[in-house]
Amino acid sequence: MRDSESLAKGDEARGSQQSSGPQGLADVRRLNLQRVLAEIRDRRAVTRKDLVAATALNRVTVLDLVAELHGRHLISEHPSVSTGRSGRPAMTLELDDDHLAVAALEINVDRIRILCSTLQLRVVHEEAIDMVGEGLSPDHVLELAAMCVNRAHRALLRKGLLLKRVCIGLPAFIDHRNGTVLTSLSFGWNGVPAVDILQRSVDADLEFTLDRLANLAIREERARAGLMPDSGIVLLYGDMGVGGAFQKGGVILRGDSGSGAEFGHISVDPGGPHCYCGNRGCLEMYVGIRPLAAALGIVDDQEGGVMQRVLDLLESGDRAVAAAAREQAPWLMMALRTLQTVFDPRALILGGHLGSLARLMGSALEEGVSEVENGRATELRISITGANAVLAGGVRAARDDLLAAPWSA
Ligand SMILES: [Zn+2]
């Protein structure tokens, strides 16, 4: 123990020597660019004077950082509303809304959807490609996805906007670090380097990131719920299966190997059937679209076809569907109690198609809610954003990734 302590101290000492060199200065400038940009994103109509006060940086430094962010088309400035007093109005700064764009691409078994926005999250382009009846091989699906991105890139150029980053959401176990789909039950894929393939197939020089649907949706759910950044949120996201996400303090929990927060694979029935993840009796075998389809006897050659038929029935409020949904409530509650115990979050949110399912559970859900909340600080919420949270959260993720590295914009 003592040896490792002294080793750690030695590393720290070497680190501080390095940080006083030119590399250290460059790092400090990058950190300051991030800080100034985050202030401009998070506050409305901020002036240079406000930035000096908020960052405790000196005025000359702030002016210089603002000039760089302006030159990179990340921010723009406008005269503030006149106070009626004479003299020059102060110029207020905000995220640029006229030059750069980001996109979210949802690749799912029933359709591919793209949503593009400016840095102020103003929607500037969207398109959906129906996938039901299409083959689901990685080559075919990713070719359609690349076509979608290329079309968006060209459409944005015609509007004077340059697409910079695309955040992809896919229902799968993924390795976020290298953009690989590890396993997707819905697509039947294993080990597909989706980001590499897309990067090679698009005409433009774009940065791609790959994430699970729930990890994108949770960003939108937080914004909609108006929760503070330091409040923990657990999301159970219903797609064909059940995805999960946990976010607190701006950090998404991914675990050491990238499969953290896959709450659909909490074992709710240890004696239940084997799941493809290696566990037994996983939550998504009892709750969500797939078990609902099985209970209603809905079969189709394709998962996309099954999903569409179940969603149509959910919309119709069919009595048999409502009864099958209520059957799922005890399993859902078991997982929610576990999640409440592990995370003690401010909010447990049922999102995606789980929101529609939960609404059909009626009293079976209400009894469970009082059990989960039971005087604790946790609140159970049913999402009103549903499946649209993936794209809306995806553009937020792409925008924030771009703002986190302003020097490369
Ligand atoms: Zn499982």
Side-chain angles (χ1 to χ4, degrees):
M1 174 61 95
R2 198 161 278 170
D3 281 351
S4 62
E5 266 176 16
S6 58
L7 249 180
K9 279 181 186 157
D11 285 348
E12 208 174 279
R14 281 193 293 279
S16 68
Q17 274 168 9
Q18 280 167 3
S19 67
S20 61
Q23 186 59 46
L25 283 175
D27 287 348
V28 169
R29 184 172 176 84
R30 287 181 167 195
L31 276 174
N32 288 339
L33 280 169
Q34 283 176 331
R35 281 173 68 196
V36 167
L37 197 47
E39 285 290 334
I40 296 171
R41 177 194 60 191
D42 297 340
R43 297 165 56 151
R44 272 195 195 163
V46 64
T47 64
R48 287 168 172 80
K49 198 174 160 191
D50 297 331
L51 290 173
V52 171
T55 60
L57 294 168
N58 71 52
R59 186 176 151 74
V60 175
T61 304
V62 168
L63 293 184
D64 186 40
L65 296 168
V66 165
E68 176 169 348
L69 295 172
H70 201 272
R72 292 182 181 278
H73 294 309
L74 290 162
I75 60 172
S76 58
E77 62 180 339
H78 307 275
S80 60
V81 179
S82 169
T83 56
R85 281 184 242 142
S86 58
R88 243 174 67 194
M91 300 299 278
T92 57
L93 305 165
E94 60 182 22
L95 291 180
D96 185 280
D97 203 40
D98 300 313
H99 294 88
L100 306 179
V102 290
L105 181 72
E106 180 183 355
I107 304 177
N108 217 322
V109 285
D110 58 339
R111 58 191 170 163
I112 294 174
R113 296 193 295 165
I114 193 166
L115 180 79
C116 305
S117 80
T118 60
L119 300 186
Q120 288 191 18
L121 303 179
R122 177 168 59 91
V123 173
V124 282
H125 174 83
E126 48 191 322
E127 187 188 358
I129 297 177
D130 194 359
M131 292 263 290
V132 176
E134 295 272 345
L136 291 181
S137 73
D139 285 349
H140 180 64
V141 171
L142 294 174
E143 191 185 317
L144 286 178
M147 188 179 81
C148 211
V149 174
N150 282 331
R151 279 210 290 250
H153 173 62
R154 288 195 293 271
L156 292 174
L157 279 181
R158 288 195 291 276
K159 295 178 185 191
L161 290 160
L162 183 63
L163 183 60
K164 297 290 288 184
R165 292 189 81 100
V166 182
C167 197
I168 311 160
L170 219 143
F173 277 103
I174 62 139
D175 189 332
H176 175 72
R177 296 160 297 185
N178 60 17
T180 298
V181 175
L182 301 174
T183 306
S184 172
L185 181 64
S186 296
F187 283 98
W189 296 357
N190 287 297
V192 176
V195 163
D196 278 356
I197 295 172
L198 274 173
Q199 210 124 35
R200 284 198 304 270
S201 319
V202 296
D203 305 332
D205 180 23
L206 297 173
E207 288 281 334
F208 286 94
T209 50
L210 177 68
D211 221 328
R212 304 202 319 260
L213 301 179
N215 281 347
L216 300 186
I218 199 168
R219 297 163 197 261
E220 181 65 11
E221 297 293 357
R222 173 183 291 281
R224 291 286 182 123
L227 292 165
M228 300 298 286
D230 60 351
S231 304
I233 304 186
V234 167
L235 172 67
L236 274 181
Y237 184 84
D239 193 61
M240 272 309 280
V242 176
F246 176 72
Q247 189 195 35
K248 184 176 170 67
V251 176
I252 302 259
L253 180 76
R254 298 183 189 281
D256 283 3
S257 66
S259 64
E262 281 282 11
F263 303 138
H265 295 276
I266 290 175
S267 180
V268 290
D269 184 7
H274 286 282
C275 174
Y276 72 100
C277 75
N279 283 347
R280 292 181 78 135
C282 291
L283 176 68
E284 72 166 24
M285 303 172 97
Y286 298 81
V287 171
I289 301 288
R290 227 178 256 125
L292 197 64
L296 297 168
I298 295 173
V299 282
D300 196 295
D301 292 342
Q302 272 201 335
E303 288 244 299
V306 171
M307 181 137 88
Q308 206 161 65
R309 288 170 62 187
V310 173
L311 292 181
D312 289 346
L313 281 172
L314 278 177
E315 290 261 312
S316 73
D318 181 282
R319 286 175 68 176
V321 179
R326 282 195 295 275
E327 294 280 311
Q328 297 190 355
W331 303 108
L332 178 60
M333 286 306 143
M334 198 182 296
L336 290 174
R337 282 195 297 270
T338 300
L339 291 167
Q340 202 288 327
T341 305
V342 174
F343 293 103
D344 180 28
R346 177 73 187 77
L348 280 165
I349 301 179
L350 301 176
H353 305 317
L354 264 189
S356 315
L357 257 172
R359 280 184 205 98
L360 288 180
M361 289 177 185
S363 59
L365 182 76
E366 281 155 26
E367 284 162 24
V369 171
S370 50
E371 230 180 89
V372 169
E373 295 186 344
N374 195 23
R376 298 179 181 104
T378 302
E379 185 189 352
L380 184 67
R381 292 169 178 246
I382 297 179
S383 165
I384 51 165
T385 322
N388 290 327
V390 169
L391 288 179
V395 288
R396 272 179 198 282
R399 191 272 306 262
D400 291 344
D401 285 349
L402 180 67
L403 299 187
W407 49 89
S408 62

